[in-house]
Amino acid sequence: LDVSIYELRKAVRRLQLQEEDLSNRIRSLREHAKEAITVDRNKVKALALLRRKKVLEDALAKRLEMGTNVTLVLSRVEEIQATND
């Protein structure tokens, strides 16, 4: 049971790191798209960046959902362990 808890905690941390990375990449794409419009006046480039941003937002939503599910499982496993101790 301790190994399971350890593995679930690792999975939660890995998902958190992925969420942070995706959030940073989304922020960067948003800034680059804004720059493409305001500075470069390049609508095609801006739209391509926004499409890429949308893909990353979808991936982030899935990671957030997985993180929630894994956290719930971890809580349940810890609860079971506490009642067995």
Side-chain angles (χ1 to χ4, degrees):
L1 204 55
D2 289 336
V3 173
S4 298
I5 291 172
Y6 173 75
E7 291 297 327
L8 286 169
R9 285 182 180 157
K10 266 181 38 178
V12 167
R13 184 62 189 139
R14 227 178 5 256
L15 287 167
Q16 288 171 338
L17 292 172
Q18 290 174 4
E19 290 166 10
E20 289 172 22
D21 179 58
L22 286 168
S23 292
N24 290 336
R25 290 168 57 194
I26 289 167
R27 192 174 310 109
S28 175
L29 285 170
R30 185 180 313 117
E31 291 168 6
H32 283 91
K34 188 183 290 185
E35 184 179 297
I37 288 292
T38 58
V39 176
D40 300 339
R41 305 263 190 251
N42 189 338
K43 183 178 177 182
V44 173
K45 180 180 177 182
L47 289 173
L49 291 167
L50 291 173
R51 280 192 293 274
R52 197 173 324 152
K53 180 176 122 349
K54 175 65 175 138
V55 169
L56 292 179
E57 287 172 338
D58 292 344
L60 177 59
K62 289 177 185 174
R63 293 301 186 294
L64 290 169
E65 183 179 350
M66 281 193 293
T68 299
N69 291 338
V70 173
T71 301
L72 290 172
V73 170
L74 175 60
S75 296
R76 184 67 181 130
V77 170
E78 289 175 329
E79 183 181 307
I80 290 168
Q81 184 186 30
T83 58
N84 290 336
D85 287 344

